[in-house]
Amino acid sequence: MPRVHRAILAAAAIALLGTACTGTSTAPTASDDATKDTTITFWHGWSAPSEVAAIDANVKAFEAKFPNIKVKVVGNINDDKIKQALRAGGPNSPDVVSSFTTDNVGTFCASHVFADLKPFLDKSGVDLDKTFPKPLQDYTQFQGTRCTLPLLNDAYGLYYNKDAFKAAGITSPPKTMSEFDAAAKKLTKAKGDSFSQLGFMPNFHGFESTTTHFAAQWNPTYFTAEGKSNLAADPAFANMLKWQSNLVKELGGFAKLEKYRATFGDEFGAKNPFHTGQVAMAIDGEWRLGMAKEAGVKFNIGVAPFPVPDDQADSYGKGYLSGTIIGIANTSQKQNAAWELVKFMTTDTDAVVSFANAIHNVPSTLDALKSPKLQADENFKTFLEIAQHPKSSTTPASPNGGAYQLTLQDFGYAFEAGKQTDLAAGLARTDAQVDKDIAQAK
Amino acid sequence: MTATTIAPARRPALSEGLRRKRRQERLRNLAFLSPWLIGVSIFFLYPLVSTVYFSFMKYDGFTAPTWVGLKNWTYVFTDYPFFWPALRNTLWLVIVMVTLRVLFGLGIGLLITKVKTGAGFFRTAFYLPYLAPPVAATMAFAFLLNPGTGPVNNILGSLGLPQPGWFSDPHWSKPALTLLALWGIGDLMVIFMASLLDVPQEQYEAASLDGAGWWQRFKFVTLPNIQPIVLFAVITGVIQTMQYYTQPLVAGKVASGVIGGSGQQFEPGYPEKSTLTLPQLVYHLGFQRFDTGGACVIALVLFGLAMVFTAFLMRRGSGFLATDD
């Protein structure tokens, strides 16, 4: 290649390298005037017509209170779209964003993609401890940076088929794991080499029967104070995995259960196995009440807190918590106006209650949980109690989102299938992998 | 033996007029080439250089990139648990799926060129599946091959044959994906049919006169004539399979039953990482874990593999390319 051509190529490469160096600068300071006429964009993930109508009504109530702020609402947005839009920035990117995935809070806060809400909270005099339950405060911040607030809450509990219970002679929902195992076996009916009814689907692919949802009943600590993975050191995880794999064996073994699981319909459709009677008990969130009603379930549904280990019977009533989060995009040039919407949706009692009533979620503020306007039948009250139980917990935020949960779940899959038998060594290896992944994210 | 050096003959100096003429000619050539040059610079060179650059950077897409040296490379090759299974799966698919697609496409093409009546119907019937959107086709296959309720297993069961787990069994998930790829064979079939119809009839006639049977006619007449098309099918097939993303992702998601709701973690490559492919990892790292550096490393591995495969096939296949002499 002639020297001149090489020089041109080298120059081009250097120029390209130079232009490849891009990156979002630090946060713009909020300098907009929230009392002036403005329009902000709000992205959310709800897509069902009833949910969209509820969020629209909520926004209309906000606009009535703040007539100078118009809100452009964009629905049916998933997390991947949110991430790309916030990366790109620009005039069409959102000012206010809500997400169903609490796992991403760590990434959102650590990378400053969501604005730090502390200055706004201080300015408005919002006392977090008097406003939100403790677990909800935990999953909406990361290492001291609060970049999101809770917008409604999900609590997980036990759903059971009252008619199947009656037929099996079981008079009340199980409270401890040994009672639960006995009930699951009693409710299981064989049919050929499969089942006509299964007491409970313990396999980790059984929709909401995940490692993290079960583990919450053992009060786990996922990370040490130094941020290292704590799976092997905390007996909660080993105990949960032992219980689960034992129940898998007692109900017919992993392969048989997996084959049966393949006959299940869609989790969020009418053919959910609990609706169809294929399973007599299930772990699920409070939304299942509304979904079961819509699916026209023929049997009587009972709900209760999910059972606890026998040696922790005094903590019965707790469960796994999760929920929707809401924050302000760091790229937004209208952060003060955006804060007014966030504050209204997350702290205004009437707004939180009416939204919770409309979409059958658990309210996310202490006042809303006590509000007389909250429409709660006996079943829904069970979830309200789980949400307020002092020992209810959630999965902590991490710099790389839910990657550590995926790694734990991966080990869970191998262990339940009998492909890994050394529990202690497996959990230690999982710890090492989680630590490597976090080191890569830092 | 002593080496003798011969001084190179000095070129006579070009006249000023001739130099100007050559320069103008060069500029004219560049002007004609410029659309291609601009396209390649923007859509190939710039992304490639950027990818190399970011593979040595920690970059989450939000904050400014920082230099981390070989950290991303080390992480991907030694600490990222999905990389090696994905690489193995990708190579398996490249070897098995491409081979079967070429053989199957050629086979169908041969059969249809022999059909005297209803050729149009068969051509349409075999080509139509190729037009089905990949997501819809994969979901349809997930339904058909459902191990518990799928019609395929119901038929196998009624015949007393074993019923595989298909997309739910790590041993059967890739064969199931291969079945799906063979179902959408229409593109290759059309290309092979065109090349088969291009083979001169007189060569077949001459071979028949010499007493050649159908296999010999295929081996000594058909194959040499369509070899360039076979090479084209293999190379494009390899590159396509390297970019195999949608079908394994959808199949894994549907079979796992985990949609990734609140507090749920979707497991890539269900079951047991058997449907993981490298492009899925690019997405997983780059767009879900905000690890642009790691994603760029995997993208470069893919690029390198595609280059190596293509170069190897081009060298091996250069003898296939028919010449007129």
Side-chain angles (χ1 to χ4, degrees), chain B residues 103 106-107 110 114 196 204 207 212-226 230:
Chain B
L103 291 174
L106 181 56
L110 274 168
K114 297 280 182 288
L196 288 166
Y204 285 124
W214 74 267
W215 171 245
Q216 285 168 312
R217 281 203 302 275
F218 174 75
K219 192 178 168 186
F220 296 113
V221 178
T222 311
L223 218 47
N225 274 290
I226 65 163
V230 173

Side-chain angles (χ1 to χ4, degrees), chain A residues 87 440-442, chain B residues 50-77 80 83 281-301:
Chain A
R87 267 181 165 182
Q440 170 66 9
K442 278 181 176 169
Chain B
S50 288
T51 306
V52 174
Y53 168 82
F54 283 122
S55 75
F56 298 103
M57 295 281 169
K58 171 172 171 31
Y59 182 46
D60 57 13
F62 305 114
T63 44
T66 50
W67 176 263
V68 289
L70 290 171
K71 189 184 171 201
N72 296 326
W73 292 83
T74 322
Y75 173 72
V76 165
F77 285 110
Y80 185 44
F83 176 72
L281 298 192
V282 174
Y283 186 82
H284 179 244
L285 273 184
F287 297 105
Q288 291 179 313
R289 283 206 198 172
F290 300 104
D291 184 359
T292 306
C296 285
V297 171
I298 294 169
L300 288 169
V301 169

Side-chain angles (χ1 to χ4, degrees), chain B residues 18-30:
Chain B
L18 195 59
R19 257 210 299 270
R20 197 177 315 123
K21 201 171 173 186
R22 284 213 175 160
R23 199 166 43 242
Q24 280 173 344
E25 199 175 313
R26 252 204 300 269
L27 284 170
R28 197 168 47 241
N29 293 346
L30 272 175

Side-chain angles (χ1 to χ4, degrees), chain B residues 111-123:
Chain B
L111 284 174
I112 289 180
T113 50
K114 297 280 182 288
V115 170
K116 294 285 183 288
T117 49
F121 166 76
F122 285 111
R123 267 204 296 262

Side-chain angles (χ1 to χ4, degrees), chain A residues 66 70 75 96 106 123 190 194 230 248 269 300 333 395 408 435 439:
Chain A
F66 294 86
K70 292 277 165 285
V96 178
K123 184 181 71 177
S194 188
N230 194 45
V248 166
N300 290 305
Q333 298 298 313
T395 34
L408 169 62
D435 290 338

Side-chain angles (χ1 to χ4, degrees), chain B residues 201-213 216-217 220-221:
Chain B
Q201 279 302 311
E202 58 269 26
Q203 291 187 15
Y204 285 124
E205 287 160 12
S208 298
L209 285 173
D210 289 340
Q216 285 168 312
R217 281 203 302 275
F220 296 113
V221 178

Side-chain angles (χ1 to χ4, degrees), chain B:
Chain B
M1 195 172 139
T2 55
T4 55
T5 53
I6 301 163
R10 288 189 59 165
R11 276 190 299 186
L14 293 172
S15 71
E16 186 58 36
L18 195 59
R19 257 210 299 270
R20 197 177 315 123
K21 201 171 173 186
R22 284 213 175 160
R23 199 166 43 242
Q24 280 173 344
E25 199 175 313
R26 252 204 300 269
L27 284 170
R28 197 168 47 241
N29 293 346
L30 272 175
F32 278 115
L33 277 173
S34 61
W36 179 85
L37 279 172
I38 291 165
V40 155
S41 303
I42 293 171
F43 297 111
F44 177 71
L45 281 177
Y46 169 68
L48 181 63
V49 174
S50 288
T51 306
V52 174
Y53 168 82
F54 283 122
S55 75
F56 298 103
M57 295 281 169
K58 171 172 171 31
Y59 182 46
D60 57 13
F62 305 114
T63 44
T66 50
W67 176 263
V68 289
L70 290 171
K71 189 184 171 201
N72 296 326
W73 292 83
T74 322
Y75 173 72
V76 165
F77 285 110
T78 60
D79 294 338
Y80 185 44
F82 299 126
F83 176 72
W84 293 106
L87 183 65
R88 277 194 297 272
N89 293 336
T90 304
L91 293 176
W92 188 100
L93 291 166
V94 161
I95 292 161
V96 178
M97 197 189 276
V98 173
T99 307
L100 287 176
R101 265 178 63 89
V102 170
L103 291 174
F104 201 67
L106 181 56
I108 301 284
L110 274 168
L111 284 174
I112 289 180
T113 50
K114 297 280 182 288
V115 170
K116 294 285 183 288
T117 49
F121 166 76
F122 285 111
R123 267 204 296 262
T124 309
F126 278 105
Y127 187 72
L128 269 181
Y130 174 68
L131 300 176
V135 173
T138 311
M139 289 187 80
F141 262 66
F143 163 76
L144 292 169
L145 299 176
N146 182 304
T149 55
V152 172
N153 271 10
N154 286 345
I155 293 165
L156 290 173
S158 64
L159 296 171
L161 294 166
Q163 302 164 62
W166 301 114
F167 290 123
S168 300
D169 181 337
H171 303 293
W172 279 96
S173 55
K174 283 191 286 290
L177 285 170
T178 308
L179 276 182
L180 172 62
L182 293 180
W183 179 71
I185 201 73
D187 56 334
L188 276 186
M189 177 204 74
V190 166
I191 293 165
F192 279 125
M193 268 178 52
S195 68
L196 288 166
L197 293 170
D198 248 6
V199 179
Q201 279 302 311
E202 58 269 26
Q203 291 187 15
Y204 285 124
E205 287 160 12
S208 298
L209 285 173
D210 289 340
W214 74 267
W215 171 245
Q216 285 168 312
R217 281 203 302 275
F218 174 75
K219 192 178 168 186
F220 296 113
V221 178
T222 311
L223 218 47
N225 274 290
I226 65 163
Q227 263 170 346
I229 306 301
V230 173
L231 183 65
F232 166 82
V234 171
I235 289 174
T236 52
V238 165
I239 292 168
Q240 274 172 11
T241 311
M242 290 260 181
Q243 297 168 3
Y244 203 50
Y245 172 81
T246 307
Q247 292 89 335
L249 183 84
V250 173
K253 264 198 173 188
V254 172
S256 77
V258 177
I259 300 165
S262 171
Q264 278 187 335
Q265 281 295 315
F266 167 62
E267 172 201 14
Y270 176 85
E272 293 175 39
K273 304 188 181 86
S274 64
T275 56
L276 264 187
T277 56
L278 289 174
Q280 285 181 70
L281 298 192
V282 174
Y283 186 82
H284 179 244
L285 273 184
F287 297 105
Q288 291 179 313
R289 283 206 198 172
F290 300 104
D291 184 359
T292 306
C296 285
V297 171
I298 294 169
L300 288 169
V301 169
L302 256 180
F303 176 71
L305 276 176
M307 293 293 278
V308 167
F309 265 109
T310 309
F312 171 77
L313 289 166
M314 290 294 279
R315 280 179 82 100
R316 297 281 306 184
S318 58
F320 292 175
L321 300 173
T323 52
D324 292 335
D325 48 24

Side-chain angles (χ1 to χ4, degrees), chain A residues 282-294:
Chain A
I283 183 171
D284 216 331
E286 76 289 333
W287 59 80
R288 180 61 47 204
L289 290 167
M291 287 184 176
K293 207 172 177 178
E294 280 168 29

